[in-house]
Amino acid sequence: MSFRSRATISNQHHSAFFVFHSPYLKISAAVIVILSFSSAIADAQLRFTDVTATTGIRFHHEDGRSGAHYFLETLGAGAAWFDYDQDGDIDIYFVNGADLPGMKSDVPPTNALFRNDGDGTFTDVTDYAGVGDLGYGFSCAAGDYDNNGFPDLYITNFGPNVLYQNNGNGTFTDVTAQAGVGDSLWGASSAFADYDNDGHLDLFVANYVQFEVDSNPECGTIGVRTHCGPEAFHGTASVLYRNSGDGTFTDVTEKSGVWNPNGKGMGVIWCDYDNDADLDLFVANDKVEDWLYRNEGDGTFKDVGLTSGVALNEMGAPYSSMAPVFGDIDNNGWFDLAITNFQDEPNSVYYNDGDGFFSDITYRSGIGGPSLTRLAWGADFADLDSDGWLDLFVATGHLEENVQLLNPTTTYPQQNQLFLSRGDRTFDDVSDSSGDGLLLKRVSRGAAFGDYDNDGDVDILITNSNQTPDLLRNDTANQNHWLVFTAVGTKSNRSGIGTRITVSAGGSVQMREVKSGGSYPSHSDMRLHFGLGESAAAEQVEIRWSSGLIEHYKDVRSNRFLIATEGKGLESLEAEN
């Protein structure tokens, strides 16, 4: 896939940002949206094809297992979609594990970078790029922390984390020590964000538990050895680094109010859930309460998880939370929240009431019931059929190889789940009818979302524990239209992280935010995809930058890749079929 033409669209005007603050207005608007847009949706059968074998991706995740049931082995590792060479298509970075005591690999496991060749295939460029970290890795996140126009890469490990600076010539330099971000605790996930809106990307690292390889407790039940659960270990404090703007970061964890030594962080996501123009932070913890840190706008945060209704389940107990994902599931202008959980715990769905509180609609949404039979990990909302409504994909797989000795009704590999939106805050489980890619049964962990073949729909990359990954190409056939935006900051951070884009088309108003990280323990394409249904154009596009600048564009024609540069208009890159 290539791009053949460029055009520039100037911005129409700047104006103040508007949201519905009244819950009565919000509900009325949602009803109007559902009624008016439902008639403009072209029916489509979701179809995902497993194309891994034909792509040239040769990667195998290694967890270092030796039979000693080290707790490390269970969490798997993630991947990232990011355009490291800025050639217009997204590349792949895989995180790998390492040998544990009792295991000796012939070739040490390493992380890997695969360059997108633009023809459906990928080339391993790890050695040339210099990003083959040998640590026991878990997650990765991308963001242009130095604002030089090329995305950098952060890796979390069991042990010192790594920051790779993108040199802009296809290579990277390890600048961890200079930048001051080599936290040595067990980092499960991370995400870049400009939480203070100063134009420089800051970094949050979610740390998991206190674990030492030399002190490996034995756990089990009814005579069967298993991996220990998080209850067997003390928690740790996660870390917030503030970007100093000179290539270094400062640890502001305590000063900012996000220090908590009892955390067992798994997933992390930044999102302006309260529509006040600064990014808030959600941390999913394993078997302790989740945290929702509201950004107070003065460099500090306040944990409002309990008072907002998202810290615990309806019984007042914590779940084994993995991946938190935000998305506006009914297009009413407020971001809702979903969290993946352990088997026999439903994946949680929280509806944003717009008044600082979330309502638990887990079972009413149609997601809670079907999710009880799976152990869920990475996930995200994405409009997979371009009908204007966000769907939900969830990666699943158990953590015990011998789980059937304990529960004959379940398995170690599991089928991933895909929930198709009905457009009314409810979803249908369409996993069995969405192509061969959704019928696979693997030990899945990470999920990253992005349009790798630049055909206008969202594809899915899945990492599997101690297995090869799966690349699922979106082959859904329909006539639905779409728009894809790349945000480039000038006064705001160069990656555009935190930029909110709102698209009005066919009676519906959709919004997305550019984010880093966000799907345990992976990083998705930072381009924003909007499905427009049968609408051939968006009547209006609004872009709210983290600098405070708001831009509007009218009558934006569909089926195009658009580059939005802050203060400079839209540049169109039209796909050549």
Side-chain angles (χ1 to χ4, degrees):
M1 184 66 65
S2 62
F3 296 110
R4 69 169 186 265
S5 65
R6 296 170 179 259
T8 300
I9 305 170
S10 61
N11 58 305
Q12 304 296 322
H13 60 277
H14 302 166
S15 67
F17 183 66
F18 174 76
V19 295
F20 291 117
H21 288 289
S22 165
Y24 302 102
L25 287 175
K26 172 173 69 67
I27 293 171
S28 299
V31 173
I32 292 171
V33 167
I34 292 169
L35 292 177
S36 62
F37 193 59
S38 61
S39 62
I41 297 173
D43 291 334
Q45 179 68 52
L46 283 170
R47 183 159 299 279
F48 285 86
T49 304
D50 177 13
V51 296
T52 317
T54 63
T55 60
I57 297 172
R58 303 289 181 265
F59 177 80
H60 192 285
H61 175 257
E62 306 290 345
D63 61 14
R65 65 180 66 180
S66 62
H69 287 80
Y70 290 102
F71 191 33
L72 290 174
E73 303 168 10
T74 63
L75 268 63
W81 286 118
F82 77 125
D83 187 3
Y84 83 94
D85 51 4
Q86 294 295 279
D87 65 349
D89 48 34
I90 51 176
D91 313 292
I92 302 174
Y93 188 78
F94 289 107
V95 180
N96 214 339
D99 289 343
L100 293 171
M103 176 64 182
K104 182 66 174 179
S105 299
D106 294 335
V107 178
T110 64
N111 298 352
L113 176 63
F114 287 85
R115 184 190 66 222
N116 190 332
D117 295 325
D119 59 1
T121 66
F122 294 80
T123 298
D124 188 337
V125 295
T126 309
D127 291 340
Y128 177 78
V131 291
D133 184 49
L134 294 170
Y136 200 112
F138 287 92
S139 80
C140 53
D144 187 359
Y145 84 92
D146 54 1
N147 287 331
N148 72 345
F150 290 88
D152 310 295
L153 191 62
Y154 190 75
I155 318 299
T156 68
N157 291 320
F158 175 71
N161 300 331
V162 178
L163 175 61
Y164 286 117
Q165 182 183 46
N166 192 329
N167 299 319
N169 60 1
T171 69
F172 292 76
T173 300
D174 183 344
V175 296
T176 312
Q178 301 95 301
V181 292
D183 183 57
S184 60
L185 297 176
W186 180 351
S189 59
S190 64
F192 288 99
D194 183 7
Y195 76 86
D196 52 3
N197 291 339
D198 66 351
H200 300 286
L201 288 179
D202 313 300
L203 176 65
F204 185 84
V205 180
N207 286 322
Y208 192 34
V209 299
Q210 297 180 35
F211 175 80
E212 296 180 4
V213 173
D214 295 336
S215 178
N216 184 40
E218 291 193 16
C219 297
T221 183
I222 59 172
V224 178
R225 177 78 183 271
T226 63
H227 294 89
C228 295
E231 301 92 339
F233 307 95
H234 294 295
T236 59
S238 295
V239 183
L240 177 61
Y241 295 105
R242 183 180 182 273
N243 191 330
S244 303
D246 59 1
T248 67
F249 291 77
T250 301
D251 184 340
V252 295
T253 311
E254 294 191 52
K255 180 180 178 181
S256 65
V258 299
W259 185 80
N260 188 326
N262 301 313
K264 297 181 179 181
M266 291 283 283
V268 56
I269 187 169
W270 294 90
C271 178
D272 181 13
Y273 83 94
D274 54 0
N275 288 342
D276 66 351
D278 52 32
L279 290 174
D280 311 292
L281 176 66
F282 189 92
V283 182
N285 287 304
D286 194 358
K287 282 299 184 183
V288 296
E289 68 183 50
D290 295 330
W291 305 326
L292 176 57
Y293 287 112
R294 186 182 65 207
N295 192 330
E296 301 292 85
D298 59 0
T300 67
F301 295 81
K302 180 180 180 180
D303 182 11
V304 296
L306 284 172
T307 56
S308 66
V310 296
L312 303 168
N313 62 27
E314 288 186 322
M315 303 300 293
Y319 278 143
S320 302
S321 301
M322 311 289 190
V325 295
F326 279 102
D328 184 3
I329 63 174
D330 60 353
N331 293 338
N332 73 337
W334 297 89
F335 283 111
D336 310 296
L337 173 66
I339 308 170
T340 60
N341 296 309
F342 206 84
Q343 188 162 315
D344 297 323
E345 299 175 350
N347 292 334
S348 305
V349 183
Y350 296 101
Y351 182 75
N352 190 335
D353 295 324
D355 56 3
F357 193 80
F358 289 78
S359 295
D360 189 333
I361 62 167
T362 296
Y363 288 102
R364 282 177 286 161
S365 70
I367 291 173
S371 67
L372 285 169
T373 60
R374 315 288 169 86
L375 202 168
W377 302 84
D380 210 349
F381 288 111
D383 184 359
L384 298 173
D385 55 0
S386 295
D387 67 350
W389 302 99
L390 290 176
D391 312 301
L392 179 66
F393 175 88
V394 180
T396 69
H398 213 279
L399 55 79
E400 300 293 349
E401 286 184 275
N402 55 359
V403 64
Q404 286 192 299
L405 295 177
L406 305 172
N407 182 358
T409 66
T410 193
T411 58
Y412 182 47
Q414 296 179 349
Q415 181 184 3
N416 296 323
Q417 290 187 299
L418 178 54
F419 296 95
L420 180 67
S421 174
R422 293 179 177 176
D424 60 358
R425 308 178 200 168
T426 66
F427 297 79
D428 289 319
D429 183 349
V430 296
S431 311
D432 293 336
S433 59
S434 297
D436 62 24
L438 265 296
L439 297 178
L440 299 173
K441 292 186 178 181
R442 310 293 297 278
V443 188
S444 297
R445 293 294 186 262
F449 302 78
D451 185 3
Y452 84 92
D453 51 1
N454 285 338
D455 64 351
D457 54 30
V458 179
D459 311 296
I460 306 174
L461 177 67
I462 304 162
T463 65
N464 300 301
S465 183
N466 218 49
Q467 297 175 320
T468 56
D470 300 315
L471 177 54
L472 306 187
R473 186 181 65 205
N474 191 336
D475 288 335
T476 302
N478 60 43
Q479 299 301 312
N480 288 340
H481 299 286
W482 49 269
L483 282 169
V484 175
F485 294 87
T486 298
V488 179
T490 53
K491 185 178 180 181
S492 303
N493 68 86
R494 187 67 177 264
S495 293
I497 293 172
T499 302
R500 177 179 291 192
I501 298 181
T502 304
V503 172
S504 302
S508 175
V509 181
Q510 306 173 57
M511 69 175 183
R512 312 272 193 273
E513 281 182 355
V514 182
K515 66 183 179 183
S516 167
S519 169
Y520 175 86
S522 303
H523 173 94
S524 294
D525 185 1
M526 286 190 287
R527 297 179 297 182
L528 298 183
H529 169 273
F530 292 83
L532 304 184
E534 292 185 346
S535 298
E539 292 90 25
Q540 180 165 281
V541 172
E542 178 183 273
I543 304 177
R544 188 191 76 182
W545 300 91
S546 59
S547 66
L549 176 66
I550 298 172
E551 301 174 303
H552 287 85
Y553 303 91
K554 293 183 178 179
D555 301 322
V556 180
R557 185 163 46 86
S558 67
N559 298 350
R560 290 187 296 166
F561 293 84
L562 299 169
I563 298 177
T565 302
E566 185 178 13
K568 297 182 179 180
L570 295 178
E571 181 183 16
S572 174
L573 302 172
E574 299 190 27
E576 180 179 319
N577 296 315

